[in-house]
Amino acid sequence: MTASPLFPSLSANALMNRKLSSMFPLTDEEARAIRELPIQDVELKSGQDIVRLGERPYQCCLILQGFTCVYKLSVGGKRQIMALHVPGDIPDLQSLHLEVMDISIASISSCKVGFFQHEDARRMCELHPRLTAAFWRETLIDASIYREWLLNIGQRDAYARVAHLLCELLIRLKAVGLVEDHTFELPITQEEMADTIGISAVHVSRTFQALRNNGLIETTRTRIHLPDWERLKEAGEFDPLYLHLRGKSA
């Protein structure tokens, strides 16, 4: 898998350090412990399950390149995407403490992920107790994002939902150095976007066209540029407080 210019090939350990540092002040010793954590890189095709509902995993995955999603299916087979994860995220970190997965996680683009064993992570946290707090903060921020998504789907119209999600992705990707001049990769199909924000794929297409016509987005294949950041934030009622980033990342 070849990284695009906006998704440089960072090592798994360097990316984990960058992500955790964006929301928690790491000491040099803690950063070194993360660099020494054994992580195995694996490349995945789009549409592959990483972990399934009901499984009992013994490892966590760190997203290195591409996007993944958390999803659940209704009895009738309809999918709700409940979270999008970008490079630097650890979407199944809760499996360190919850024995059985109550969600499924899948790639929604070609991906590279890094797997690290629960046993190794627990040993690292025992030796460096503040890293337990860093991982705990990661899961708390995931919960904060879930709450904001609930508001987005429940109370905003389609135009605002899409605008808000694009604002969020820019900030999250910027925190790990994957944004250049308000431009980033968005390897998501219209169907996946529809399952994310609770509208039809046709409505997604019309909403993106409206955002383009209003000068708020420019798209080229899987790349998206946000030329008028302030107006897009206003359109999406976006306030990054719920992402709880620190320092320059905020």
Side-chain angles (χ1 to χ4, degrees):
M1 176 178 176
T2 302
S4 81
L6 295 185
F7 282 75
S9 297
L10 291 176
S11 73
N13 303 77
L15 189 57
M16 183 184 291
N17 257 322
R18 180 181 288 186
K19 172 60 186 298
L20 292 178
S21 294
S22 74
M23 59 186 187
F24 191 88
L26 297 176
T27 66
D28 291 343
E29 186 177 356
E30 290 160 350
R32 183 168 56 253
I34 292 171
R35 288 195 298 270
E36 294 173 354
L37 179 68
I39 301 178
Q40 180 182 8
D41 294 359
V42 176
E43 294 188 0
L44 303 173
K45 296 179 181 179
S46 178
Q48 283 190 245
D49 278 332
I50 298 171
V51 64
R52 296 185 181 92
L53 179 109
E55 290 185 345
R56 299 170 180 265
Y58 56 88
Q59 59 189 0
C60 292
C61 70
L62 169 71
I63 311 306
L64 304 179
Q65 293 177 23
F67 279 36
T68 65
C69 71
V70 170
Y71 73 93
K72 299 191 82 165
L73 299 174
S74 70
V75 174
K78 293 183 178 181
R79 180 178 65 171
Q80 178 65 50
I81 291 178
M82 312 182 77
L84 294 174
H85 286 100
V86 303
D89 290 344
I90 309 172
D92 57 352
L93 191 55
Q94 69 271 26
S95 67
L96 274 171
H97 303 289
L98 297 178
E99 186 176 339
V100 181
M101 294 297 293
D102 57 83
I103 54 173
S104 297
I105 301 172
S107 58
I108 56 174
S109 70
S110 296
C111 285
K112 181 185 286 186
V113 301
F115 289 102
F116 58 93
Q117 305 298 305
H118 289 170
E119 181 181 351
D120 292 331
R122 292 190 183 106
R123 185 181 303 112
M124 181 180 68
C125 289
E126 288 172 1
L127 294 173
H128 305 278
R130 274 173 29 96
L131 288 178
T132 300
F135 284 148
W136 176 229
R137 184 174 175 85
E138 165 90 350
T139 60
L140 289 174
I141 291 173
D142 266 354
S144 179
I145 293 172
Y146 276 122
R147 292 191 290 272
E148 188 68 23
W149 277 38
L150 182 60
L151 173 64
N152 202 38
I153 292 176
Q155 298 300 328
R156 296 185 180 118
D157 62 23
Y159 189 86
R161 291 182 203 182
V162 173
H164 189 278
L165 181 58
L166 295 178
C167 288
E168 177 187 302
L169 290 174
L170 181 138
I171 295 296
R172 289 170 61 191
L173 288 166
K174 187 176 181 180
V176 288
L178 299 179
V179 172
E180 181 180 291
D181 188 29
H182 287 81
T183 300
F184 58 93
E185 297 286 344
L186 186 67
I188 301 175
T189 67
Q190 291 184 359
E191 289 76 14
E192 289 161 345
M193 180 66 76
D195 289 347
T196 299
I197 60 174
I199 61 177
S200 69
V202 172
H203 203 171
V204 168
S205 179
R206 291 172 179 165
T207 303
F208 267 78
Q209 187 59 50
L211 288 165
R212 280 191 290 265
N213 291 341
N214 290 333
L216 298 185
I217 66 171
E218 298 170 356
T219 56
T220 306
R221 299 184 67 183
T222 62
R223 187 170 295 189
I224 186 163
H225 175 59
L226 311 181
D228 197 330
W229 175 240
E230 294 302 324
R231 285 180 58 219
L232 188 68
K233 284 197 299 181
E234 182 179 357
E237 302 175 6
F238 180 73
D239 181 344
L241 174 68
Y242 69 100
L243 297 174
H244 298 284
L245 296 172
R246 58 184 291 270
K248 293 181 180 179
S249 299

